[in-house]
Amino acid sequence: MAFPSSAKTLIIGGGIIGCSTAYHLAQMGEEVLLLEKAALTSGSTWHAAGLVGQLRSNANITQLLGYSIDLYNKLEQETGLATGWKMNGGLRLACNEERWTEVKRQATTAHSFGLDMQLLTPNEAQDLWPLMDISDIVGAAFLPTDGQASPSDITQALAKGARAKGAVLSENTPVTEILTARGKLVGVRTANGDIACEKLVLCCGQWTRELAKTIGVTVPLISVEHQYMLTEAFGVPTDLPTLRDPDRLTYYKEEVGGLIMGGYEPNGIPWAKDGIPKVFDFQLLDSNFDHFEQLVEMALPRVPKLKSVGVKQLINGPESFTPDGNFILGEAPEMANVFIGAGFNAFGIASGGGAGMALAEWVVNGAPPYDMWPVDIRRFGRPHTDVDWVRTRTLEAYGKHYTMAWPSEEHDSGRPCRRSPLYNSLKSAGAVFGEKLGWERPNWFAEKSEEARDIYTFERPNWHVPVGREHRAAREAAVLLDQSSFAKFVLQGPDAAAALQWIAANRVDKPVGSIIYTQMLNDQGGIECDLTCVRTGLDSYYIVTGTGFATHDFDWIRHNIPFGMNAQLVDVTSSNAVLSLFGPRSRDILSSVTGADVSNEAQPFATTQQIGIAGCSVLALRITYVGELGWELHLPTEYALSVYKILHEAGAEYGLRNAGYRAIETLRLEKGYRAWSSDIGPDHTPDEAGLGWAVKMKSNIAFKGRQAVAAQREDGVRKVLATFTTSGATILSGRETIYRNGVRCGWLSSGGYGHTLGCSIGMGYVRASKEIDRDYVLQGTYELEVATERVAAEVTLNPLYDPGMYQVRG
């Protein structure tokens, strides 16, 4: 067969992710060519441990892993190749009360997502896994549909299935260069010649970062040594479930009558800091017995038999890990038609089937089959371009693989990175910071008598009282928040208004000085962005969105400016600081520091004006995300400290307080404001989310997603976002199961506490298999499952606080 000179879609990398992507592209009838530098599976796939679990904290990633299991169940029959797949179930142990609470919350999450996770007593767990000592176990959870597989066999089966549908897989064909012209993908260069391609998919495992970097694409992953030992056979039954023992940082699975035991030590060792060898095929690193000893010491009390069983091999195979422990999928924001599937954090086998399916659909359709935000490559930002920072953060994430997943837990490494001009002032005022996309952001403020650090728990945390203090100040007096980390863009040019009118669901042809709250929709009507646009001129807009969505939203807007339109998008995030002044006394404070008229008559809600404060020209946005009168004050960063000080001096007599992001969260829950990536996203439409009022359907103006919105208004919705309340003693943190009239109908997308109302608040979609309306939602009787216990809940479709918007518009 002649060496190909072109391919519609070209995949680099013949591990499980590359072969799965080829398999699914071929199933879709696409022309696909896969190039592997050595032999299939020769990178890290061949030495993977092969555990396959499905439960994750996100419903769609759990669904993706469930797809893997469905595929593995049928793959052997389809291809005739053995896969080593066994659905022998998975056990997870809890050895203390806090871990047991975590496990019970995980069980509820499983129930929310439709998985049958069962809680077991220690003796019931031992019945399933008789090799273990249970003297320290409080309880366990069992997921019958988990299992294990042979990574190489599954990959070969996927490869055979891909070839059967017409895919070409070429081994021993290293790619030496990705070819571009004028910033656009052209093809690849190999020793056998150049190959032109329309689309390129990089599934090169730990080699992906360096290859992508050659064309300016950032893929934040590093290689970490990962060890597991394989024992001699000693009669371990073949149907033994996989076992995860997170309090002892270890995992186990049966292998040829023996056991595989591995784990995640707190002091992981990075590999190839100076670059990965070009030739590292079917190779392992030297066994590091001294480093592995800490895991052996954890394992021996759990499985006493290991003391007398021989060890066949201690396998040390480097694998790619990422800064947040999630893998990386999607089209690179830096270059069109270049797609990434890499960084699988040692669960590439569990993810392989689903990730290949999602990536194939992304390549063909320009979008994944459902919202993939937790693994979307656009979740990263500026700090992730620095490999040293990525390595520092990734090693922390690796060490936390089996530690407790606390609510609201923050990372500690690589900090501080990005700081607003107010950082030191806020720190001296008691700020306890969190981090997002490298930005230090005040989460809450401690008084002198309080410990200024997060103390994590599944109960009410130590910041509950301080956040309540800030919350009440926002409702009764005023608060000042540093929101300088907001992502901020300028869209300008002769066609800026026309371009934004197409991209935005709401009308943006408003007078100069107007603020437009809008969603940006995909072709299915799903919400891709949720942001604020300020019309600053006839041909210019100032766009403000959430810190964590900087890369995603910039990419979405830039890619959807219609071809031929003259409009340029510029990121100005670092140019402007943002001070948000909210609360019923905010006008008193603001009017005392500016000569501008900030009365309701001069500046009504959803308008802007330029005002002067302390020699600074400030763009004052009359907007709120906390449900109170207030302004976002956008100003050049060099003025931030002066404006901050004068506002506090003027606000002292009015009870002005500093406040942080955790107060914003409690305030917005009371007001029913939605949060993108939790309450709303690409899988949710404005009508489902109660945001249909912000869609310009009454006009005849065309916009992206309009046809889908119109079709849904004709057909009706099958899910509705609602707000639930329970007694204050119940702690809601999200993913709790919603029951309507005793039947599971969804889960909470957000959860927290309302300090004004004195109760716990959650938001979530009530789902049905038929068209539903407001009456259907309101006429139900509701319960929430919290850590496997059901509690009564009240439902509403209106804001709990100030539904008439009197405070906001006052």
Side-chain angles (χ1 to χ4, degrees):
M1 177 178 169
F3 189 74
S5 61
S6 67
K8 184 175 181 181
T9 300
L10 192 150
I11 300 169
I12 305 177
I16 189 168
I17 307 304
C19 289
S20 177
T21 305
Y23 170 89
H24 287 93
L25 283 168
Q27 292 280 333
M28 297 170 77
E30 293 293 304
E31 177 196 350
V32 57
L33 169 65
L34 183 149
L35 303 181
E36 163 54 46
K37 63 182 176 61
L40 298 183
T41 78
S42 62
S44 58
T45 296
W46 74 276
H47 62 68
L51 281 74
V52 178
Q54 13 177 1
L55 180 63
R56 294 294 183 271
S57 60
N58 175 270
N60 285 0
I61 305 306
T62 299
Q63 181 180 343
L64 181 143
L65 300 184
Y67 175 92
S68 292
I69 285 175
D70 291 341
L71 176 63
Y72 301 162
N73 273 328
K74 67 181 183 181
L75 194 59
E76 183 170 338
Q77 182 177 2
E78 176 188 327
T79 64
L81 289 183
T83 62
W85 166 244
K86 294 190 294 187
M87 190 185 285
N88 47 356
L91 266 174
R92 179 175 290 263
L93 306 180
C95 301
N96 55 64
E97 288 302 327
E98 286 183 320
R99 181 72 73 177
W100 184 229
T101 298
E102 181 192 49
V103 167
K104 287 189 289 185
R105 285 186 170 270
Q106 288 171 334
T108 286
T109 298
H111 301 158
S112 292
F113 301 164
L115 295 176
D116 179 27
M117 180 174 269
Q118 305 159 8
L119 295 183
L120 307 179
T121 66
N123 286 327
E124 288 171 333
Q126 191 176 43
D127 288 343
L128 289 173
W129 223 88
L131 293 169
M132 68 175 167
D133 178 272
I134 60 170
S135 57
D136 65 338
I137 295 176
V138 177
F142 180 60
L143 198 51
T145 49
D146 279 356
Q148 64 188 70
S150 166
S152 293
D153 290 345
I154 278 196
T155 305
Q156 294 292 350
L158 288 165
K160 183 177 180 181
R163 289 188 178 107
K165 291 291 185 177
V168 176
L169 282 67
S170 179
E171 299 180 272
N172 300 304
T173 311
V175 170
T176 59
E177 185 182 355
I178 299 173
L179 304 175
T180 63
R182 297 183 178 181
K184 295 184 178 179
L185 173 71
V186 173
V188 302
R189 178 156 292 159
T190 76
N192 298 324
D194 293 351
I195 306 173
C197 65
E198 295 179 19
K199 297 181 180 182
L200 179 65
V201 188
L202 303 183
C203 300
C204 323
Q206 50 204 335
W207 287 268
T208 306
R209 187 191 77 224
E210 292 182 5
L211 182 58
K213 187 179 179 181
T214 64
I215 55 170
V217 170
T218 297
V219 182
L221 57 80
I222 65 159
S223 300
V224 181
E225 297 185 14
H226 187 68
Q227 297 192 108
Y228 63 84
M229 72 176 194
L230 173 61
T231 74
E232 300 282 0
F234 62 104
V236 177
T238 58
D239 61 349
L240 190 76
T242 61
L243 176 69
R244 293 168 179 83
D245 190 1
D247 291 309
R248 294 181 177 274
L249 309 179
T250 49
Y251 62 78
Y252 306 81
K253 77 159 191 170
E254 182 273 337
E255 185 78 5
V256 199
L259 278 181
I260 277 178
M261 185 280 284
Y264 293 86
E265 67 279 16
N267 55 337
I269 300 174
W271 180 64
K273 292 174 70 171
D274 298 323
I276 298 173
K278 288 188 177 180
V279 178
F280 193 79
D281 309 317
F282 291 118
Q283 292 184 51
L284 296 170
L285 304 176
D286 292 340
S287 300
N288 190 335
F289 289 94
D290 289 342
H291 191 73
F292 194 69
E293 185 179 0
Q294 58 188 311
L295 295 179
V296 174
E297 290 176 353
M298 293 280 207
L300 290 179
R302 175 68 65 229
V303 188
K305 186 74 173 174
L306 291 177
K307 297 174 184 176
S308 58
V309 172
V311 176
K312 263 189 183 179
Q313 191 177 9
L314 178 60
I315 292 172
N316 187 356
E319 300 201 33
S320 57
F321 289 82
T322 65
D324 60 4
N326 279 324
F327 53 88
I328 304 171
L329 283 189
E331 186 174 11
E334 300 93 340
M335 185 171 289
N337 297 319
V338 175
F339 295 81
I340 309 296
F344 278 81
N345 300 274
F347 65 100
I349 310 307
S351 313
M357 174 274 294
L359 197 50
E361 292 209 19
W362 218 321
V363 169
V364 173
N365 301 325
Y370 36 75
D371 182 13
M372 290 275 103
W373 175 244
V375 300
D376 192 316
I377 192 170
R378 294 169 294 178
R379 72 189 188 270
F380 299 117
R382 291 181 184 175
H384 300 94
T385 62
D386 176 41
V387 176
D388 291 333
W389 189 92
V390 168
R391 183 176 294 110
T392 299
R393 175 58 57 85
T394 300
L395 289 173
E396 180 188 5
Y398 178 92
K400 286 182 172 178
H401 190 91
Y402 276 154
T403 60
M404 208 82 71
W406 300 109
S408 304
E409 185 176 9
E410 296 279 353
H411 289 294
D412 297 321
S413 58
R415 298 178 56 186
C417 180
R418 304 172 80 179
R419 286 178 277 186
S420 93
L422 302 177
Y423 177 81
N424 289 327
S425 296
L426 299 175
K427 189 172 184 179
S428 64
V432 179
F433 291 91
E435 178 265 340
K436 184 157 285 189
L437 273 196
W439 283 99
E440 292 293 316
R441 311 194 311 172
N443 274 340
W444 59 281
F445 288 81
E447 301 280 359
K448 285 185 168 54
S449 61
E450 296 167 334
E451 193 170 358
R453 69 179 183 93
D454 288 341
I455 300 174
Y456 298 118
T457 176
F458 290 104
E459 304 302 318
R460 293 281 179 224
N462 68 314
W463 61 82
H464 182 73
V465 171
V467 167
R469 211 164 41 222
E470 298 165 25
H471 181 114
R472 282 185 286 276
R475 292 279 185 253
E476 299 166 8
V479 293
L480 192 61
L481 301 118
D482 179 12
Q483 295 191 278
S484 300
S485 66
F486 269 147
K488 301 168 282 280
F489 316 136
V490 170
L491 181 68
Q492 58 192 6
D495 297 321
L500 193 58
Q501 191 77 291
W502 165 253
I503 303 168
N506 207 346
R507 292 192 71 147
V508 298
D509 55 342
K510 301 286 183 69
V512 172
S514 298
I515 300 174
I516 304 103
Y517 168 63
T518 186
Q519 287 76 50
M520 294 175 173
L521 310 182
N522 56 37
D523 290 335
Q524 289 70 48
I527 300 170
E528 291 286 348
C529 308
D530 178 70
L531 42 72
T532 299
C533 303
V534 179
R535 191 162 197 183
T536 52
L538 291 178
D539 297 331
S540 62
Y541 291 84
Y542 180 62
I543 299 172
V544 184
T545 190
T547 306
F549 315 135
T551 304
H552 175 276
D553 289 8
F554 188 90
D555 180 71
W556 182 263
I557 296 168
R558 183 166 59 90
H559 273 91
N560 284 290
I561 294 172
F563 180 76
M565 283 196 180
N566 186 351
Q568 295 77 44
L569 188 67
V570 181
D571 188 332
V572 297
T573 297
S574 297
S575 301
N576 289 345
V578 181
L579 290 171
S580 295
L581 178 67
F582 296 133
R585 306 309 300 269
S586 58
R587 180 176 285 123
D588 297 321
I589 298 169
L590 191 57
S591 62
S592 68
V593 299
T594 182
D597 185 353
V598 294
S599 66
N600 199 47
E601 292 72 28
Q603 188 185 5
F605 180 68
T607 63
T608 67
Q609 64 169 323
Q610 292 286 154
I611 66 174
I613 304 175
C616 175
S617 179
V618 176
L619 181 64
L621 279 62
R622 175 91 190 275
I623 197 75
T624 181
Y625 191 56
V626 302
E628 296 292 340
L629 172 69
W631 284 261
E632 287 178 12
L633 305 174
H634 292 245
L635 56 145
T637 54
E638 66 267 28
Y639 288 99
L641 195 54
S642 298
V643 173
Y644 171 81
K645 287 183 176 178
I646 198 171
L647 285 169
H648 264 294
E649 289 169 2
E653 66 175 289
Y654 299 104
L656 179 66
R657 275 188 174 275
N658 286 309
Y661 276 82
R662 289 186 180 148
I664 294 175
E665 180 67 8
T666 63
L667 290 159
R668 73 99 184 169
L669 281 172
E670 287 189 338
K671 188 61 178 156
Y673 289 144
R674 281 74 167 131
W676 194 88
S677 81
S678 53
D679 308 314
I680 55 177
D683 292 343
H684 311 302
T685 68
D687 284 0
E688 293 164 348
L691 296 172
W693 56 269
V695 182
K696 55 191 175 215
M697 293 301 288
K698 292 181 181 178
S699 74
N700 292 318
I701 300 169
F703 64 92
K704 189 173 178 65
R706 181 183 181 113
Q707 288 180 324
V709 174
Q712 188 176 63
R713 291 194 173 177
E714 193 72 31
D715 298 338
V717 299
R718 296 189 176 192
K719 61 181 176 182
V720 173
L721 185 62
T723 297
F724 300 88
T725 56
T726 68
S727 73
T730 302
I731 297 175
L732 302 178
S733 56
R735 302 188 300 278
E736 290 82 3
T737 317
I738 305 169
Y739 289 88
R740 180 186 181 274
N741 297 342
V743 178
R744 179 172 62 88
C745 69
W747 60 89
L748 295 187
S749 52
S750 291
Y753 186 81
H755 292 272
T756 304
L757 303 173
C759 63
S760 293
I761 303 170
M763 299 174 72
Y765 287 87
V766 175
R767 301 162 189 259
S769 58
K770 60 179 183 179
E771 178 186 345
I772 60 175
D773 57 16
R774 289 177 59 92
D775 289 343
Y776 175 90
V777 175
L778 296 175
Q779 288 169 4
T781 299
Y782 290 90
E783 295 173 298
L784 300 177
E785 182 184 315
V786 182
T788 70
E789 301 290 332
R790 292 199 196 182
V791 297
E794 299 295 322
V795 69
T796 181
L797 294 175
N798 295 320
L800 294 165
Y801 176 79
D802 187 28
M805 294 279 284
Y806 301 113
Q807 298 298 114
V808 170
R809 298 183 181 278

